[in-house]
Short mmCIF file of all heavy atoms in Angstrom, two decimals:
data_model
loop_
_atom_site.label_atom_id
_atom_site.label_comp_id
_atom_site.label_asym_id
_atom_site.label_seq_id
_atom_site.Cartn_x
_atom_site.Cartn_y
_atom_site.Cartn_z
N ARG C 20 202.90 107.33 149.08
CA ARG C 20 202.85 107.39 147.62
C ARG C 20 202.80 106.01 146.99
O ARG C 20 203.70 105.57 146.26
CB ARG C 20 204.06 108.18 147.12
CG ARG C 20 204.16 109.61 147.62
CD ARG C 20 203.17 110.52 146.94
NE ARG C 20 203.49 110.65 145.51
CZ ARG C 20 202.72 111.31 144.65
NH1 ARG C 20 201.57 111.87 145.06
NH2 ARG C 20 203.08 111.41 143.39
N VAL C 21 201.73 105.27 147.28
CA VAL C 21 201.45 104.00 146.62
C VAL C 21 200.04 104.08 146.05
O VAL C 21 199.22 104.90 146.48
CB VAL C 21 201.57 102.80 147.60
CG1 VAL C 21 203.01 102.59 148.03
CG2 VAL C 21 200.68 102.99 148.82
N ARG C 22 199.75 103.21 145.10
CA ARG C 22 198.48 103.29 144.42
C ARG C 22 197.32 102.73 145.22
O ARG C 22 196.18 103.12 145.03
CB ARG C 22 198.58 102.58 143.06
CG ARG C 22 199.49 103.30 142.07
CD ARG C 22 199.55 102.59 140.73
NE ARG C 22 200.30 103.37 139.76
CZ ARG C 22 201.62 103.34 139.65
NH1 ARG C 22 202.34 102.57 140.47
NH2 ARG C 22 202.23 104.09 138.74
N ASP C 23 197.58 101.80 146.13
CA ASP C 23 196.50 101.20 146.92
C ASP C 23 196.95 101.06 148.37
O ASP C 23 197.29 99.96 148.83
CB ASP C 23 196.13 99.83 146.34
CG ASP C 23 194.94 99.19 147.07
OD1 ASP C 23 194.17 99.94 147.71
OD2 ASP C 23 194.80 97.96 146.99
N PRO C 24 196.97 102.17 149.13
CA PRO C 24 197.45 102.10 150.52
C PRO C 24 196.44 101.38 151.41
O PRO C 24 195.29 101.18 151.06
CB PRO C 24 197.58 103.58 150.90
CG PRO C 24 196.59 104.29 150.03
CD PRO C 24 196.57 103.53 148.73
N GLY C 25 196.92 101.01 152.60
CA GLY C 25 196.06 100.36 153.59
C GLY C 25 196.73 99.13 154.19
O GLY C 25 197.90 98.84 153.96
N MET C 26 195.96 98.37 154.97
CA MET C 26 196.46 97.14 155.58
C MET C 26 196.51 96.04 154.53
O MET C 26 195.56 95.85 153.77
CB MET C 26 195.56 96.70 156.73
CG MET C 26 196.08 95.48 157.49
SD MET C 26 194.90 94.85 158.68
CE MET C 26 193.66 94.13 157.59
N LYS C 27 197.62 95.32 154.50
CA LYS C 27 197.80 94.25 153.54
C LYS C 27 198.09 92.93 154.26
O LYS C 27 198.84 92.90 155.24
CB LYS C 27 198.95 94.56 152.57
CG LYS C 27 198.77 95.86 151.79
CD LYS C 27 197.52 95.83 150.92
CE LYS C 27 197.29 97.17 150.23
NZ LYS C 27 196.03 97.19 149.45
N ILE C 28 197.48 91.87 153.78
CA ILE C 28 197.73 90.52 154.31
C ILE C 28 198.67 89.83 153.33
O ILE C 28 198.34 89.63 152.17
CB ILE C 28 196.43 89.74 154.48
CG1 ILE C 28 195.52 90.45 155.48
CG2 ILE C 28 196.72 88.31 154.94
CD1 ILE C 28 194.17 89.78 155.67
N LEU C 29 199.85 89.46 153.83
CA LEU C 29 200.90 88.88 153.00
C LEU C 29 201.29 87.51 153.53
O LEU C 29 201.11 87.20 154.71
CB LEU C 29 202.12 89.79 152.98
CG LEU C 29 201.90 91.24 152.53
CD1 LEU C 29 203.18 92.04 152.74
CD2 LEU C 29 201.46 91.29 151.08
N PRO C 30 201.84 86.66 152.66
CA PRO C 30 202.30 85.36 153.13
C PRO C 30 203.50 85.49 154.06
O PRO C 30 204.29 86.44 153.95
CB PRO C 30 202.68 84.62 151.84
CG PRO C 30 202.91 85.70 150.84
CD PRO C 30 201.99 86.82 151.21
N GLN C 31 203.63 84.56 154.99
CA GLN C 31 204.76 84.56 155.91
C GLN C 31 206.06 84.50 155.11
O GLN C 31 206.21 83.74 154.17
CB GLN C 31 204.68 83.34 156.83
CG GLN C 31 205.74 83.28 157.90
CD GLN C 31 205.53 84.31 158.99
OE1 GLN C 31 206.40 85.15 159.23
NE2 GLN C 31 204.39 84.26 159.65
N GLY C 32 207.02 85.34 155.50
CA GLY C 32 208.29 85.39 154.80
C GLY C 32 208.35 86.40 153.69
O GLY C 32 209.36 86.50 152.97
N ALA C 33 207.28 87.21 153.52
CA ALA C 33 207.27 88.23 152.46
C ALA C 33 208.24 89.35 152.79
O ALA C 33 208.48 89.67 153.96
CB ALA C 33 205.86 88.78 152.28
N SER C 34 208.78 89.97 151.75
CA SER C 34 209.73 91.06 151.92
C SER C 34 209.05 92.40 151.66
O SER C 34 207.88 92.46 151.24
CB SER C 34 210.92 90.88 150.97
OG SER C 34 210.48 91.02 149.62
N LEU C 35 209.78 93.49 151.90
CA LEU C 35 209.23 94.83 151.71
C LEU C 35 208.86 95.09 150.26
O LEU C 35 207.82 95.69 149.98
CB LEU C 35 210.24 95.86 152.21
CG LEU C 35 209.80 97.33 152.15
CD1 LEU C 35 210.25 98.08 153.39
CD2 LEU C 35 210.36 98.02 150.91
N ASP C 36 209.68 94.63 149.32
CA ASP C 36 209.35 94.83 147.90
C ASP C 36 208.05 94.13 147.52
O ASP C 36 207.26 94.65 146.72
CB ASP C 36 210.50 94.32 147.03
CG ASP C 36 211.70 95.27 147.05
OD1 ASP C 36 211.53 96.42 147.54
OD2 ASP C 36 212.78 94.87 146.60
N GLN C 37 207.81 92.96 148.09
CA GLN C 37 206.56 92.25 147.82
C GLN C 37 205.37 93.01 148.39
O GLN C 37 204.30 93.04 147.79
CB GLN C 37 206.63 90.84 148.42
CG GLN C 37 207.59 89.91 147.71
CD GLN C 37 207.74 88.58 148.43
OE1 GLN C 37 208.31 88.50 149.51
NE2 GLN C 37 207.21 87.53 147.82
N ALA C 38 205.56 93.65 149.54
CA ALA C 38 204.48 94.44 150.14
C ALA C 38 204.14 95.64 149.26
O ALA C 38 202.96 95.97 149.06
CB ALA C 38 204.87 94.89 151.54
N LEU C 39 205.16 96.32 148.73
CA LEU C 39 204.91 97.47 147.85
C LEU C 39 204.20 97.04 146.57
O LEU C 39 203.32 97.74 146.07
CB LEU C 39 206.24 98.16 147.51
CG LEU C 39 206.96 98.85 148.68
CD1 LEU C 39 208.29 99.42 148.21
CD2 LEU C 39 206.09 99.94 149.30
N ALA C 40 204.57 95.86 146.07
CA ALA C 40 203.89 95.35 144.88
C ALA C 40 202.43 95.03 145.19
O ALA C 40 201.54 95.26 144.36
CB ALA C 40 204.62 94.11 144.37
N ALA C 41 202.17 94.50 146.40
CA ALA C 41 200.78 94.19 146.78
C ALA C 41 199.95 95.46 146.92
O ALA C 41 198.72 95.42 146.81
CB ALA C 41 200.77 93.40 148.09
N ALA C 42 200.61 96.60 147.19
CA ALA C 42 199.91 97.88 147.31
C ALA C 42 199.80 98.58 145.97
O ALA C 42 199.51 99.79 145.92
CB ALA C 42 200.63 98.77 148.31
N GLY C 43 200.03 97.88 144.88
CA GLY C 43 199.89 98.46 143.55
C GLY C 43 201.12 99.14 143.03
O GLY C 43 201.11 99.72 141.94
N GLY C 44 202.20 99.12 143.80
CA GLY C 44 203.44 99.76 143.38
C GLY C 44 203.51 101.22 143.79
O GLY C 44 202.52 101.83 144.22
N GLN C 45 204.69 101.79 143.69
CA GLN C 45 204.90 103.18 144.07
C GLN C 45 204.50 104.13 142.93
O GLN C 45 204.59 103.77 141.75
CB GLN C 45 206.38 103.40 144.42
CG GLN C 45 206.91 102.48 145.51
CD GLN C 45 208.38 102.70 145.78
OE1 GLN C 45 208.77 103.73 146.34
NE2 GLN C 45 209.21 101.76 145.38
N LYS C 46 204.07 105.29 143.30
CA LYS C 46 203.72 106.30 142.31
C LYS C 46 204.98 106.90 141.70
O LYS C 46 206.07 106.75 142.22
CB LYS C 46 202.86 107.39 142.95
CG LYS C 46 201.46 106.90 143.35
CD LYS C 46 200.62 108.03 143.91
CE LYS C 46 199.22 107.54 144.28
NZ LYS C 46 198.37 108.63 144.83
N LEU C 47 204.78 107.60 140.58
CA LEU C 47 205.92 108.11 139.82
C LEU C 47 206.75 109.10 140.63
O LEU C 47 207.96 109.00 140.71
CB LEU C 47 205.43 108.75 138.53
CG LEU C 47 206.52 109.29 137.58
CD1 LEU C 47 207.45 108.15 137.16
CD2 LEU C 47 205.90 109.98 136.38
N LEU C 48 206.09 110.10 141.21
CA LEU C 48 206.79 111.10 142.01
C LEU C 48 206.81 110.62 143.46
O LEU C 48 205.79 110.67 144.16
CB LEU C 48 206.09 112.45 141.90
CG LEU C 48 206.04 113.06 140.48
CD1 LEU C 48 205.27 114.36 140.50
CD2 LEU C 48 207.45 113.28 139.94
#
């Protein structure tokens, strides 16, 4: 339930919250 699922390339040291933000954030439900 994210707006843009898939493989994401993140900077070294990124946290889980940053990954969810990179995926467009979580959906309402």
Side-chain angles (χ1 to χ4, degrees):
R20 300 285 294 175
V21 292
R22 292 181 174 85
D23 184 22
M26 184 188 71
K27 302 299 175 184
I28 298 178
L29 304 173
Q31 185 71 239
S34 66
L35 183 140
D36 285 347
Q37 290 174 291
L39 293 177
Q45 304 178 71
K46 291 183 179 180
L47 182 60
L48 299 177

